[in-house]
Amino acid sequence: EVQLQAYGGGLVQAGGSLRLSCAASTPRFRFDDYAIGWFRQAPGEGREGVSCTSSSDGSTYSADSVKGRFTISRDNAKNTVYLQMNNLKPEDTAVYYCAIAAYSDNCVPYEYAYWGQGTLVTVSS
């Protein structure tokens, strides 16, 4: 079973930046064999896709609400995935999760089988 750990959340003022990281502790696991997704869940809301990479062609998807502000990336040497978040807004406040799927071209939670624990991002106004 793949074990993922997301970290890097915290409290930041509106307009600030954070970089979330997602590392795998499973031996011989490689992120580039999977679709990778960052999701978030705000209090009282459902879990939504933020930014994901496709398993079929490596293309990336970003939700309209974060387009131009958030960037998903991967460092194969470190076997770590990142979510760079710039120009943060109070509405970005949520628990953020990283997840992987053996196959997915969509940034929807039900297609992702393995999840890390969440990391809380709080954006103050």
Side-chain angles (χ1 to χ4, degrees), residues 38 56 60 77 88:
W38 284 98
S56 59
T60 61
L88 282 159

Side-chain angles (χ1 to χ4, degrees), residues 46-92:
R47 194 166 296 188
E48 65 170 345
V50 175
S51 189
C52 300
T53 64
S54 166
S55 59
S56 59
D57 61 9
S59 60
T60 61
Y61 160 88
S62 291
D64 288 343
S65 59
V66 306
K67 202 165 291 184
R69 300 188 297 122
F70 291 12
T71 304
I72 186 172
S73 64
R74 180 176 61 210
D75 185 332
N76 289 332
K78 296 182 179 180
N79 210 21
T80 301
V81 175
Y82 303 100
L83 183 68
Q84 178 66 44
M85 306 186 296
N86 298 327
N87 191 22
L88 282 159
K89 303 176 180 181
E91 52 263 42
D92 295 319

